[in-house]
Amino acid sequence: MKFGTKAIHAGIEPDPSTGAIMTPIFQTSTYVQSSPGDHKGYEYSRTQNPTRTVLQRNLAALEEGNHGLCFSSGLGATDAILKLLKPGDEVISTSDLYGGTFRLFTQVFEPYGIKFHFLDMQDINCIKDYINPKTRMLWIETPTNPMMNIIDITRAVVIAKRHGTMVAIDNTFATPYLQQPLDMGADITMHSITKYIGGHSDVVMGAIVVRDDELGERLAFIQNASGAVPGPQDCFLVLRGIKTLHIRMQRHCENGKVIAEYLKSHPKVDKVYYPGLKGHPNHDLARFQMRDFGGMVSFTIKGYDMNKTFKTMEKFKVFSLGESLGGVESLVGHPASMTHASIPKSEREKVGLVDSLIRLSVGIEDVDDLIHDLEEAIG
Ligand SMILES: *Cc1c(COP(=O)(O)O)cnc(C)c1O
């Protein structure tokens, strides 16, 4: 089966009791047993719930994996992955990381004795200087946020395997429609389902997909033992959202491309960060690694300070000013004061994250209206 067919059908069977084509919302905490231990595979909904099971199977199929696991948020999923480690272990991670992941690593897991190195992985060979027998995991986000750098997953895997290091990819920005890390040799792919996979800005959820049975069992153990599971209503909403994932992603990519080109030709715009532009430093790698270039676009305006940038952002009417990304509606964000406010100015400016940087999550509206909105806002 190809991607679009899997999005709609994989792991999904008509309900055996009624034939309902949509997976029912099994809003139950427990399951009746005829005799102690005599049950139909379901005992308690932290451990297993039929609506969640269907979603987990569907996600596993989309990521070309064998085991899918859902969590109550993206960070809940990352937390479960980090619990595979023990004190003394080391992790090498990309430097322009999702802020919440950085906070979880440095403020929750570092005090438990896990050591993190944050590297700009655009030259992937840099990990060779840090990888050692204690390095248990490579944590990669690509495309990165908000600078849209592309990290070479295949080469990262080659270096990691030589040292017996696990590779985990945060695939939130790309989604399995654009890239399938397990196919490139990664061990774990993780998602904030909240973003593109859910796609309708109405659910907070996370997921992990792996191929290896032992790893899948260990993560399922952690999912149940730590307990950050999503409810069945949310699983239903995500199953519903996924049915249009491929169509939505196609439109996100189309609109993203048109907007990136428009911004590039705008006299007031300084830099445009979009891997689909020929001038993007990792454009060739993006073409090799991804099916298309996604709907996230960042740009800067010539000579603008924080104040002028804020004024511009207040003018948007179709783009909504807000955190998050990946929904059908277009969003505009200001990384320096919102998602990346906790990073010191001198540090963030080193990677290009200046006060005039604006990040767009390009939605699936009519692109003419989006361009018009940008025209009005930028002037
Ligand atoms: C949002 C996000 C997360 C965290 O997911 P939540 O669902 O908000 O917990 C992790 N990684 C990336 C890239 C994200 O955008």
Side-chain angles (χ1 to χ4, degrees):
M1 264 196 257
K2 293 202 168 172
F3 192 90
T5 317
K6 277 193 208 167
I8 295 167
H9 294 290
I12 299 163
E13 302 284 343
D15 175 49
S17 64
T18 62
I21 193 162
M22 287 301 292
T23 305
I25 303 166
F26 284 91
Q27 194 75 48
T28 185
S29 59
T30 191
Y31 307 83
V32 177
Q33 310 187 10
S34 46
S35 166
D38 188 1
H39 54 76
K40 298 178 166 66
Y42 291 92
E43 296 160 272
Y44 185 64
S45 279
R46 174 167 25 76
T47 321
Q48 277 169 322
N49 174 281
T51 318
R52 195 175 93 213
T53 302
V54 171
L55 174 58
Q56 294 183 152
R57 283 190 191 137
N58 183 262
L59 287 168
L62 292 182
E63 280 284 13
E64 302 289 340
N66 297 319
H67 307 278
L69 296 158
C70 289
F71 294 83
S72 49
S73 69
L75 285 175
T78 303
D79 178 84
I81 295 168
L82 267 287
K83 284 173 178 161
L84 294 167
L85 308 181
K86 57 181 193 320
D89 287 348
E90 295 189 14
V91 177
I92 301 176
S93 165
T94 28
S95 50
D96 47 347
L97 198 60
Y98 175 72
T101 306
F102 183 77
R103 183 176 57 195
L104 178 66
F105 286 2
T106 55
Q107 295 190 45
V108 178
F109 283 99
E110 213 160 68
Y112 284 124
I114 294 166
K115 192 170 168 189
F116 296 88
H117 303 279
F118 298 96
L119 308 180
D120 173 3
M121 293 192 192
Q122 280 185 86
D123 174 14
I124 199 70
N125 286 316
C126 71
I127 59 183
K128 289 180 184 162
D129 296 337
Y130 290 86
I131 206 160
N132 70 66
K134 288 186 196 154
T135 315
R136 283 285 312 285
M137 189 180 289
L138 216 57
W139 183 276
I140 293 174
E141 226 180 274
T142 180
T144 66
N145 175 26
M147 302 316 298
M148 310 301 154
N149 293 316
I150 309 295
I151 312 298
D152 192 331
I153 297 175
T154 313
R155 288 184 60 202
V157 166
V158 169
I159 300 167
K161 293 285 132 135
R162 236 180 267 148
H163 293 84
T165 301
M166 255 185 301
V167 178
I169 309 288
D170 180 338
N171 206 25
T172 301
F173 269 41
T175 81
Y177 176 77
L178 296 179
Q179 84 191 0
Q180 291 164 316
L182 301 182
D183 259 356
M184 294 182 241
D187 302 282
I188 300 174
T189 168
M190 169 264 156
H191 280 281
S192 170
I193 297 284
T194 317
K195 316 295 169 52
Y196 285 106
I197 292 186
H200 295 74
S201 312
D202 52 7
V203 173
V204 171
M205 195 189 290
I208 302 171
V209 179
V210 302
R211 276 191 185 160
D212 184 73
D213 293 340
E214 212 175 299
L215 187 56
E217 259 169 51
R218 180 67 194 161
L219 286 165
F221 172 82
I222 295 168
Q223 181 195 38
N224 182 50
S226 288
V229 293
Q233 292 263 2
D234 283 355
C235 292
F236 174 86
L237 285 172
V238 173
L239 274 166
R240 190 184 209 271
I242 285 179
K243 291 185 193 294
T244 55
L245 177 62
H246 51 302
I247 307 286
R248 287 186 283 111
M249 290 311 293
Q250 282 163 16
R251 183 59 69 86
H252 283 297
C253 293
E254 274 171 37
N255 286 358
K257 223 169 289 175
V258 173
I259 284 174
E261 293 287 355
Y262 164 78
L263 290 169
K264 208 180 127 211
S265 66
H266 196 295
K268 283 197 182 173
V269 171
D270 189 10
K271 294 199 165 70
V272 183
Y273 300 94
Y274 184 67
L277 291 177
K278 288 214 173 60
H280 185 280
N282 319 123
H283 177 66
D284 289 338
L285 174 59
R287 283 177 60 135
F288 171 75
Q289 183 162 290
M290 301 168 74
R291 186 207 289 249
D292 206 338
F293 306 106
M296 298 299 298
V297 183
S298 297
F299 68 101
T300 60
I301 306 179
K302 285 176 191 158
Y304 270 31
D305 58 7
M306 185 88 87
N307 218 1
K308 279 185 162 170
T309 309
F310 277 16
K311 287 267 172 326
T312 301
M313 298 186 64
E314 286 160 11
K315 289 190 200 140
F316 284 102
K317 292 203 172 71
V318 183
F319 282 87
S320 302
L321 176 56
E323 305 263 357
S324 200
L325 60 109
V328 291
E329 53 286 282
S330 291
L331 290 178
V332 55
H334 185 248
S337 68
M338 294 164 72
T339 45
H340 294 67
S342 59
I343 306 169
K345 190 175 159 98
S346 58
E347 281 301 306
R348 59 177 167 77
E349 289 195 336
K350 271 188 219 160
V351 299
L353 210 161
V354 295
D355 288 349
S356 75
L357 187 82
I358 293 175
R359 190 191 78 175
L360 304 176
S361 170
V362 178
I364 64 170
E365 299 96 335
D366 198 311
V367 77
D368 293 343
D369 292 324
L370 298 178
I371 297 277
H372 181 72
D373 206 34
L374 283 161
E375 222 153 58
E376 294 286 306
I378 301 170

